[in-house]
Each structure stands twice: as C-alpha cells, then as structure tokens.
C-alpha cells in the first residue's frame, strides 16, 4: 500500500500507431507499479472527466466548442501534432479530471499522483506539441475556485519549457510558474515563466541538480505556495528522442527526490503529473515514471520516520 493515491484511467491510453508519443505508457506505468508490488489496486483511483466549467476556467469557449465538434482546422491539427478523434478528446478531458483529483488528494494526503497529465503546451485558445488541454492549469484554477486563498506553484521539469502554463498564469499573482528546461529546443519562442532556467545542450546530472536546487530556493524565497504541481517529465533523459539533455536514470531519481524533499520540508502538498517522455526504449520512460512514484513514497517514509523520531 502506498501512503497516497495514484489516479489512472484506462482511457488515458491511445493507439497512435507509429507516433513518437508513446500514448500507452500510462498503462505500462500503472501495470508495472502493481506487478512490482509498489502499488496495490486499492491505491488507484479512477477519475471522472473534468467538468466543462473547470475546463472553461482556462480555455476559451470557442476552442472547447471546436474540440467537441471535431472542428479543428488542418493547421490547428498540425500544430497539435496529434490525429483528431473523439477518443483523444475524451482522453484529455479525463487527464484534466485526473489532475484535479490528484490535486484534491494532495491537499488531503500530502501527495497525489496522476499517472497521466502534464500537458503544458496547451494555451487557452489552441493546443500544440501533443497537448490539447492544459490539465495542470485547469486543476490549479479548480483548486483555487474551491479555496479562494490557495496559492499554487508549478515546478515544470520536463525538458521542454512550459509555454502554455507560463502564458496562462503570466498575470496571475496567485500562481508561480518555474520551468527548468533545455534552451535550444521546442517551444520557440518561450513566453516567460515567473522563473525560467535555460539549460545548455548536453547538461548532465550534477549541473542539472545544482541548477534545480538554485531554482527551487529562488522560487520558495519569492513565493509561498499552499499546493505545488510537479511536472515530472521523463524527457531530460539522455536517451530521449526529443530532448538534448544528458540525465541518467539515477540522476532523474535524484531530481524527483530533491523536488519532493524541498516541498515536504516546507509542508507543501505535491500533486504530480507525468508530462513528456520519448526514450528510444519505452521501458526507460516507464522506469523513470515509476521511479517518481518511488521517490514520493520514500519521501513520505522519511517524513514519517522523522516525525516519529521527533
Ligand atoms: Zn517534453
């Protein structure tokens, strides 16, 4: 049994054929966690699709309407880089519902993990880069609608900058966005987050972890959140097909440990989403995502040990 809930829906998974986006990774992560005895089926909650009123806190009515009617133009579909289908629309509504549920559980249990989500390239009026709806932005606004004073921090460690999230919250003083990413990579341009750390090509574990630690220190010095969303992208991995950083599997695990420890030390609940991951070998992507769940579990265990020792 895990000390927090995982959120997963079988219809997160899509058959995209030979697409670079391994849209069946969600099932592989879920099944791997259960097969290895890390998670019990009772640890896993099934989300409802996000309500349209939640989606409309972030996205424009025109865009939502187009998605529902299947009325995206050819250029809009090209920008999204996904083939349109009603199943895809449903998968994104479910992913947003999953991030809402993970956030709600995080506020209750300290952690909540959506085995999905992290679609940070979606803007209010358009989708791009495999991202149709910005589930983290939707979940953040949804939690703030339930708790008016809730301040939210987004820590985005996907190899690609969180352009949609940065844009959505640019003028929102209740949400702090921090993105650490490869500079010379999609997206271009990069609308400014509250804090951006642009990394050089081929940055490895030690330099990455130093930069991340500095970024977290600065973020927490500038902003005190009541909830943190962590986008645990697997694509800073050195074998990633769409990334140019050189993190190893243990380095990515240390990244997760660091984010969780810094949040936990300050008593900030963490809602996790998976975001990207395009390793040549999908097993590596799956392993990186499973390690994120292990890092969250170990962080909880450590916290428990410390509180019982104290
Ligand atoms: Zn990415």
């Amino acid at each position: 049994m895990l000390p927090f809930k995982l959120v997963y829906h079988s219809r997160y998974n899509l058959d995209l054929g030979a697409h670079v986006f391994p849209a069946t990774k969600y099932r592989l992560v879920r099944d791997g966690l259960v097969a290895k005895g890390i998670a019990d089926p009772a640890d896993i909650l099934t989300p409802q699709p996000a309500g349209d009123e939640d989606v409309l806190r972030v996205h424009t009515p025109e865009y939502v309407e187009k998605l529902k009617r299947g009325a995206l133009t050819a250029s809009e579909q090209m920008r999204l880089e996904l083939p349109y289908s009603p199943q895809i629309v449903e998968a994104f509504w479910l992913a947003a519902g999953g991030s809402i549920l993970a956030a709600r559980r995080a506020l209750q249990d300290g952690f909540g993990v959506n085995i999905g989500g992290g679609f940070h390239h979606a803007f209010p009026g358009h989708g791009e880069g495999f991202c149709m709806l910005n589930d983290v932005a939707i979940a953040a606004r949804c939690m703030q609608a339930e708790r008016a004073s809730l301040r939210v921090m987004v820590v985005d460690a996907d190899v690609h900058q969180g352009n949609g999230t940065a844009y959505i919250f640019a003028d929102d003083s209740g949400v702090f966005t921090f993105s650490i990413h490869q500079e010379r990579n999609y997206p271009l341009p990069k609308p400014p987050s509250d804090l951006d750390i642009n990394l050089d090509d081929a940055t490895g574990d030690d330099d990455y972890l130093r930069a991340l630690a500095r970024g977290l220190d600065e973020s927490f010095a500038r902003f005190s959140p009541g909830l943190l969303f962590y986008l645990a992208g697997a694509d800073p991995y050195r074998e990633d097909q769409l990334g140019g950083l050189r993190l190893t599997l243990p380095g990515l695990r240390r990244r997760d440990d660091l984010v969780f420890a810094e949040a936990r030390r300050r008593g900030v609940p963490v809602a996790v989403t998976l975001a990207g991951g395009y390793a040549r070998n999908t097993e590596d992507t799956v392993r990186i995502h499973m390690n994120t769940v292990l890092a969250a579990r170990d962080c909880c265990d450590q916290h428990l040990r410390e509180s019982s020792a104290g």
Side-chain angles (χ1 to χ4, degrees):
M1 282 276 279
L2 286 168
F4 50 82
K5 295 296 180 194
L6 305 173
V7 177
Y8 169 80
H9 200 294
S10 59
R11 292 204 297 276
Y12 284 176
N13 300 279
L14 296 163
D15 181 5
L16 299 178
H19 202 284
V20 69
F21 175 33
T24 56
K25 72 174 182 180
Y26 309 112
R27 173 176 298 123
L28 298 173
V29 172
R30 184 254 174 230
D31 290 354
L33 290 168
V34 172
K36 286 203 181 317
I38 297 164
D40 188 90
D43 296 325
I44 305 172
L45 305 176
T46 307
Q48 298 289 317
D52 287 353
E53 70 280 12
D54 295 322
V55 173
L56 290 167
R57 289 194 178 99
V58 169
H59 295 282
T60 63
E62 296 74 21
Y63 178 54
V64 170
E65 180 66 22
K66 269 188 190 174
L67 292 174
K68 295 203 152 191
R69 283 192 297 117
L72 294 179
T73 64
S75 73
E76 285 171 327
Q77 286 201 48
M78 271 176 59
R79 202 167 182 191
L80 189 54
E81 298 183 78
L82 287 174
Y84 181 89
S85 70
Q87 289 76 26
I88 285 197
V89 174
E90 187 196 23
F92 278 96
W93 252 260
L94 282 170
S99 292
I100 291 169
L101 182 54
R104 197 169 281 137
R105 292 303 303 217
L107 288 169
Q108 193 176 319
D109 305 331
F111 272 102
V113 179
N114 187 9
I115 306 178
F119 298 112
H120 55 167
H121 302 311
F123 285 72
H126 78 269
E128 60 179 72
F130 318 146
C131 300
M132 188 178 274
L133 295 181
N134 196 312
D135 57 288
V136 166
I138 290 167
R141 288 246 163 98
C142 182
M143 291 304 104
Q144 289 182 318
E146 290 175 10
R147 307 178 184 210
S149 60
L150 184 70
R151 287 156 63 83
V152 174
M153 181 181 286
V154 180
V155 174
D156 188 336
D158 190 276
V159 79
H160 305 101
Q161 194 240 9
N163 56 343
T165 316
Y167 179 90
I168 289 163
F169 295 119
D171 299 317
D172 188 335
S173 61
V175 179
F176 186 94
T177 54
F178 165 37
S179 180
I180 179 167
H181 48 262
Q182 183 189 6
E183 180 167 24
R184 285 175 28 169
N185 199 331
Y186 169 87
L188 290 168
K190 296 173 174 48
S193 312
D194 291 301
L195 176 62
D196 283 297
I197 294 186
N198 290 294
L199 298 169
D200 291 334
D201 295 359
T203 297
D205 290 345
D206 291 343
D207 289 339
Y208 183 96
L209 291 165
R210 264 194 296 275
L212 176 62
R214 207 174 56 235
L216 289 169
D217 280 350
E218 182 180 336
S219 297
F220 283 115
R222 287 169 55 186
F223 190 89
S224 296
L227 174 65
L228 187 152
F229 283 92
Y230 175 44
L231 284 79
D235 47 13
Y237 181 46
R238 63 182 177 185
E239 297 289 325
D240 198 88
Q241 300 172 86
L242 301 184
L245 300 183
R246 294 251 175 96
L247 272 73
T248 63
L249 292 171
L252 285 157
R253 169 64 201 258
R254 284 163 63 203
R255 172 197 70 166
D256 298 338
D257 289 339
L258 179 60
V259 172
F260 295 154
E262 291 299 312
R264 204 65 197 230
R265 196 153 71 79
R266 294 169 174 88
V268 180
V270 181
V272 180
T273 61
L274 299 192
Y278 317 93
R280 264 171 271 284
N281 189 343
T282 299
E283 280 170 29
D284 289 345
T285 297
V286 170
R287 174 105 75 91
I288 293 162
H289 290 319
M290 286 172 55
N291 282 345
T292 301
V293 175
L294 283 173
R297 186 191 70 182
D298 291 353
C299 180
C300 291
D301 288 353
Q302 170 119 16
H303 191 72
L304 209 63
R305 274 198 302 277
E306 283 165 9
S307 22
S308 52

